[in-house]
Amino acid sequence: MQTVLPLTPEWQQQLEQFSPTQLAWLSGYCWAKSQDSNAVAAATGVAPNAIATAVEATAAAPARKITVLSVSQTGNARRVAEQLLVQLQEAQLDAQIIAAGDYKAKNIASEDIVLMVTSTQGEGEAPEEGVSLHKFLHGKKAPQLNGVSFAVLGLGDSSYPNFCQAGKDFDAVLEKLGATRLAPRVDCDLDFQAAADAWRNDVAQTVVALAQQTSVSAAVASSAAVAVAVTEQHYTKENPFTATLSVSQKITANEANKDVRHIEIDLGDSGIQYTAGDALGVWFGNDEALVDEVLRLSVLEGSENVVLSNGESVSIREALLHQDELTQNTPQFIKGFAQISQNADLLALIEDNKALQAAVDCTPIVGILNDYPHPLTAEQLHGLLRPLTPRMYSIASAQAEVDGEVHLTVGRVAYEHHGNAYTGGASGFLSDRLQEGGDVKVFVEPNKNFRLPENGDTPIIMIGAGTGVAPFRAFMQQRDNNGDTGANWLVFGNQKFTDDFLYQAEWLQYRKSGLLTAVSTAWSRQGSEKVYVQHKLRENAAAVWQWLQQGAHVYVCGDALRMAKDVEQALLDIISEQGQMSLDDADEYLSQLREDKRYQRDVY
C-alpha cells in the first residue's frame, strides 16, 4: 500500500526554509494541536492510532535538560537569563532557570546543558549570589564535568580593570573541568542588550539543534510560570514609575566631612511592592551647568544632531542631558579622546595602565576636556560617552512601616576640579537639583539574596558602615512590625559619633524598647586610632561565635573593595580561633553559611 504523506510538496519546500528554532517550536505547537485526534484524523485522513503511535515514539526519545544559571548583582544578568529561558521554552525545550544563590553547587556535575549569564562586581569578583559556586568550581572538591555542555555570557563595565572577569573565570574553569563549550563566551559592556541578544540567539539555535525531543506540556506549564515571574513587577528599569520626592533631609552634622541625605519618595498609587533588602533604581538627568560646560569645551553649540542606539536623532544637548554618562570617567573615554586629539601627553598616558587608571579615578570627564582642550564633533563626543544608567540604592524602609513610600540613605558626592565644583550624577540630582514635590523615575530591583530569616525567632548580626546602614533600618522596621522575637545586633561604623551616627535616635529607641539587643559602634576619626567595624567584631569574637552557634544570620552592607573584605577576613579568623579549626575549615564553614543563606552581603 502506498504511503500518503500528510504534507504537499509545496509545504515541504516551505518547511526547509525554517530555522531550527522555528521548526522546534512548530513541532511542539503541532503536537499540542494534534491532541484532538479525531478532529485531526477527519481533517487529514490519518488514523488516530497512527497519531498515538507517533506521539509515543517521539515521547520515548530522551529530552535534553537545560539549566539557565542567573548570576546577578543588580538584576541585569537575571533579566537576560529570563529572556533566554522564555526563548528556549518558546522552542518547546526542557529548560529551567535557577538563581545562583538558590543553586546547590555540587549539583553541577549532574547537569546536562548549563547556560550561564553572569555579571562581575568589585575587582573582578563573582556577584554575591555566585560566590559559593565560584569557590566550589575553583576548589579542591570540584568534580569533573565531562558530561556537561555550557555557554557563558558575561556582563560588566569596561571602565573597571578586570572587565567581565567573573564570566571569564566561569568560562575557563568549566572548560578546565572537562565541560564542552557550546558557544564562545561573549563579554558585554554597559550597553549590553544588542550583544546579549546576539548571544542568546546563537546559543538558542545551537541548543535546539542538540535537542532530540521536547516536553511540550512541561514547557508550556513552566513557560506560563516564568511569564508570571517576569511580569510580576510592573515597573522596571525599562519602564520606571514617575514618583514624587517628598523629603530630602541632611542627617549628618553641618561640620561633618560627609553629607548624607535621608530621602523619602512617594510611590503614589503605583502599587509597587518591595521587601526589606531590596534596592531602588533611580533614573536621573545630568546637571544642565555640567552639560553646558562640556559643550563649551567641545566647541559645540548644542543644537547639532546625533543618532542614538535606537536610531532616534536628537540634539547633542538633549543626549548629554538624558542619554550620556558625564559623571563617571572611563579608560575608553580617555583612550578615544587621546586618539582624536592626538595630544602627546594623553597618548603617553594611555600606554601606562596604572597611570591611565589613576587618571580615570582622579579626573572627571569634564576635567579631561578642560586639561587637554580639543574641539569635537557632536558624533565624536556622543561616541566617546557611555550610556547613562540608573543608580541603585539599598532601600532604607520596610513597606509595612511606611506603606506607599520608599526611603533611601544617600551619600552626596561632591568634588572640585580646575576651580569648579561638581556633584555626583544621581546623588547631586536627589540632593540638589530635585526639589521636594519634583518627579523622579524609579523601579524596584528585588534582592532575594539579602533577606531576613523566615523564622522571626532567628538572631541576626547586621554589619554596615556609612550608608551601608540603610537596609538594616528596613530590617528593624520589618521585625518590629512582624513582632519578631529574634535577637538583633548592629555593628555600625562611620567617621565620628558626634557627626555621622546615622539614624541615631531610631537606634536608641530600638535599644530602649529591647528590639535591638546589642549595638557596637566604630568611629574611624574620633580618637587617636582608626577603629573600623572589623575591629569591633574581633573585640567581640566570643560573642560572634556564640551567636553563630545559636543559628544567627550575618548580614554585611557597604564597600566591597575594603570594608566587606576586611569583615570577611575577621569572620574567618573568629571562626578559626573560636571554633578551633584551621583557616581552610573556617573558610568551608563560612561557605556553608553562605550556601545556607546565613551569610548574606549587599556590597557595592
Side-chain angles (χ1 to χ4, degrees):
M1 183 177 68
Q2 184 179 6
T3 302
V4 180
L5 292 176
L7 296 177
T8 66
E10 291 79 9
W11 273 100
Q12 295 178 54
Q13 187 174 6
Q14 290 187 37
L15 286 175
E16 291 175 359
Q17 300 174 12
F18 282 20
S19 70
T21 302
Q22 291 170 323
L23 287 170
W25 181 91
L26 184 62
S27 68
Y29 175 80
C30 293
W31 182 87
K33 297 293 286 185
S34 73
Q35 295 312 286
D36 186 354
S37 301
N38 292 328
V40 174
T44 63
V46 181
N49 62 342
I51 296 174
T53 302
V55 169
E56 289 171 5
T58 305
R64 300 301 298 266
K65 178 172 172 277
I66 306 158
T67 298
V68 180
L69 267 180
S70 163
V71 193
S72 189
Q73 186 71 20
T74 63
N76 289 333
R78 174 177 55 78
R79 281 186 284 270
V80 173
E82 287 171 346
Q83 291 167 357
L84 174 59
L85 179 70
V86 171
Q87 187 172 356
L88 293 170
Q89 292 184 332
E90 284 178 346
Q92 302 299 308
L93 298 181
D94 180 14
Q96 63 170 339
I97 188 170
I98 304 178
D102 298 325
Y103 187 72
K104 297 295 184 184
K106 62 183 181 181
N107 290 347
I108 196 157
S110 61
E111 297 288 359
D112 179 10
I113 297 174
V114 175
L115 307 178
M116 178 183 290
V117 184
T118 178
S119 60
T120 294
Q121 71 155 357
E123 296 180 317
E125 291 134 7
E128 190 60 30
E129 70 169 351
V131 171
S132 291
L133 178 60
H134 188 276
K135 291 182 71 172
F136 177 76
L137 291 175
H138 288 85
K140 298 176 182 178
K141 298 182 179 180
Q144 286 299 301
L145 303 177
N146 301 61
V148 178
S149 299
F150 76 96
V152 175
L153 177 72
L155 304 185
D157 181 345
S158 59
S159 66
Y160 289 90
N162 299 310
F163 174 55
C164 284
Q165 191 60 49
K168 296 173 183 176
D169 287 349
F170 278 121
D171 184 75
V173 75
L174 288 171
E175 182 183 44
K176 180 181 177 182
L177 294 173
T180 301
R181 185 182 287 106
L182 296 177
R185 186 193 73 250
V186 172
D187 301 329
C188 302
D189 210 338
L190 289 180
D191 192 9
F192 60 84
Q193 199 61 60
D197 288 346
W199 178 85
R200 282 195 298 109
N201 292 332
D202 181 34
V203 166
Q205 288 190 19
T206 301
V207 172
V208 166
L210 285 174
Q212 299 300 312
Q213 165 60 28
T214 62
S215 176
V216 176
S217 57
V220 170
S222 54
S223 180
V226 169
V228 171
V230 172
T231 59
E232 184 178 340
Q233 192 64 259
H234 180 63
Y235 296 103
T236 63
K237 176 182 176 182
E238 294 75 22
N239 179 40
F241 174 70
T242 303
T244 304
L245 176 70
S246 52
V247 174
S248 177
Q249 177 184 2
K250 186 177 180 181
I251 56 174
T252 45
N254 290 332
E255 58 271 19
N257 292 327
K258 296 180 179 181
D259 182 346
V260 177
R261 306 295 176 98
H262 172 71
I263 302 292
E264 296 184 5
I265 295 172
D266 186 354
L267 299 174
D269 59 356
S270 66
I272 289 176
Q273 300 292 310
Y274 61 87
T275 302
D278 287 345
L280 190 76
V282 177
W283 283 101
F284 63 96
N286 285 312
D287 187 353
E288 290 191 15
L290 175 61
V291 169
D292 289 340
E293 185 179 3
V294 168
L295 289 171
R296 177 178 60 79
L297 292 171
S298 303
V299 195
L300 292 168
E301 295 292 331
S303 58
E304 300 88 345
N305 280 356
V306 295
V307 178
L308 304 180
S309 58
N310 62 5
E312 181 184 359
S313 179
V314 300
S315 71
I316 182 62
R317 191 171 196 278
E318 177 68 17
L320 295 178
L321 281 170
H322 302 294
Q323 303 293 331
D324 295 331
E325 176 62 71
L326 289 181
T327 57
Q328 292 185 345
N329 203 351
T330 66
Q332 288 68 33
F333 177 84
I334 297 179
K335 289 178 180 179
F337 185 70
Q339 295 298 333
I340 292 171
S341 66
Q342 286 296 296
N343 181 281
D345 292 338
L346 277 181
L347 290 172
L349 175 70
I350 64 176
E351 293 301 317
D352 184 337
N353 287 334
K354 288 187 177 179
L356 175 60
Q357 192 58 48
V360 168
D361 295 339
C362 301
T363 313
I365 288 171
V366 69
I368 295 292
L369 296 176
N370 179 82
D371 296 347
Y372 305 96
H374 188 276
L376 296 170
T377 68
E379 286 291 354
Q380 284 176 331
L381 176 59
H382 177 63
L384 289 172
L385 300 170
R386 296 187 305 173
L388 194 67
T389 56
R391 301 296 192 260
M392 309 302 299
Y393 292 99
S394 299
I395 293 176
S397 57
Q399 202 153 30
E401 178 81 13
V402 301
D403 196 20
E405 296 180 356
V406 60
H407 297 179
L408 307 177
T409 310
V410 177
R412 179 179 179 270
V413 177
Y415 54 95
E416 291 187 0
H417 196 274
H418 60 274
N420 291 344
Y422 303 96
T423 60
S427 68
F429 172 70
L430 291 170
S431 303
D432 301 348
R433 302 194 296 279
L434 183 63
Q435 301 301 309
E436 291 183 355
D439 292 344
V440 53
K441 294 182 177 181
V442 301
F443 61 96
V444 170
E445 189 60 59
N447 185 358
K448 295 181 180 179
N449 297 297
F450 204 74
R451 288 283 188 261
L452 281 167
E454 292 183 8
N455 185 345
D457 297 335
T458 305
I460 65 172
I461 303 174
M462 303 168 285
I463 307 165
T467 57
V469 78
F472 303 138
R473 181 176 185 263
F475 278 10
M476 292 301 291
Q477 288 183 356
Q478 189 64 57
R479 297 202 103 181
D480 191 23
N481 276 271
N482 290 349
D484 292 343
T485 58
N488 303 291
W489 180 2
L490 175 69
V491 184
F492 172 67
N494 217 334
Q495 292 192 352
K496 294 183 178 180
F497 168 80
T498 53
D499 298 345
D500 307 288
F501 197 169
L502 306 182
Y503 303 112
Q504 178 183 4
E506 295 182 28
W507 297 121
L508 292 176
Q509 183 58 42
Y510 283 134
R511 188 73 178 91
K512 183 178 180 180
S513 71
L515 183 66
L516 188 57
T517 312
V519 181
S520 301
T521 54
W523 309 110
S524 62
R525 303 293 188 275
Q526 191 72 42
S528 58
E529 295 184 4
K530 293 183 178 181
V531 181
Y532 297 106
V533 288
Q534 62 268 23
H535 297 137
K536 289 297 177 180
L537 292 173
R538 293 181 189 278
E539 285 179 17
N540 295 278
V544 171
W545 180 246
Q546 183 180 14
W547 280 55
L548 288 176
Q549 294 301 103
Q550 293 170 351
H553 288 214
V554 180
Y555 301 89
V556 181
C557 184
D559 172 35
L561 298 182
R562 294 180 294 274
M563 187 277 284
K565 288 186 177 180
D566 291 338
V567 165
E568 180 151 316
Q569 187 58 56
L571 290 173
L572 285 170
D573 292 340
I574 290 169
I575 292 167
S576 174
E577 294 163 7
Q578 297 294 319
Q580 299 182 344
M581 60 183 80
S582 68
L583 280 174
D584 284 344
D585 289 342
D587 185 62
E588 191 166 324
Y589 181 96
L590 193 61
S591 293
Q592 189 60 52
L593 288 183
R594 181 181 267 117
E595 191 158 317
D596 294 341
K597 297 190 181 299
R598 288 182 55 200
Y599 176 44
Q600 300 182 36
R601 307 195 308 173
D602 179 11
V603 296
Y604 39 84

